[in-house]
Amino acid sequence: MKKTKASCTAQQGFSMMEILVTLVIVAVALLGTAGLQAHALKTAKGSEFRNQAIFLSADIVERMEANKAEAVAGNYAVAAGAGAISSACVTGACAGGALTAYDLANWQAAVATLPSGKGSITLTTAGNPATYTILVSWVDRATNQTSTGAAASNAGKGETFSVTSTKMIRN
């Protein structure tokens, strides 16, 4: 069967249309993939902050366990806010109140590395055993929504997340 000139001209440009439709589909798929990747990066960063907050809570608990006499006396209670880093215990051994001040100053400085990070330690039960509540909070992800376990603050500037732990220390 011979092809005529009329049948060849009727098909011209059809392949170009297929290519254009394919390019649009691929472009939309790539934009969707880029959006998914951006969301994954944001979520991964939030997970990193949560892990760091949990680590910081465990860090101060271990410091209190190492200095039990001061912890049972209630000297590890501290309000939110960064303190100046003390170098008193870096060059030599120290104990008691000096170690407590060193621990709290270094812990507050470490908490301050989180975005808008704040840490507080509250003595909830005095005596032997002493019970402390440790709170580490930070601001993450610019949103106006409230997630479970987190309160929205600074509308449009981020969402405040926190990790709370309780520790009982006996001497």
Side-chain angles (χ1 to χ4, degrees), residues 2-20:
K2 285 186 168 182
K3 289 189 179 183
T4 63
K5 186 177 178 186
S7 66
C8 288
T9 57
Q11 301 249 341
Q12 288 179 345
F14 185 72
S15 295
M16 182 63 77
M17 189 60 81
E18 286 177 340
I19 291 171
L20 289 175

Side-chain angles (χ1 to χ4, degrees), residues 70-145:
E70 290 290 314
V72 169
N75 295 334
Y76 272 89
V78 65
I85 293 179
S86 168
S87 61
C89 297
V90 173
T91 57
C94 65
L99 182 58
T100 302
Y102 176 78
D103 288 345
L104 291 173
N106 284 309
W107 182 73
Q108 288 283 8
V111 169
T113 62
L114 289 168
S116 300
K118 293 182 179 141
S120 65
I121 304 170
T122 307
L123 180 65
T124 52
T125 305
N128 191 6
T131 305
Y132 286 92
T133 300
I134 299 135
L135 175 71
V136 178
S137 64
W138 69 98
V139 175
D140 189 16
R141 288 185 272 179
T143 181
N144 291 329
Q145 299 174 357

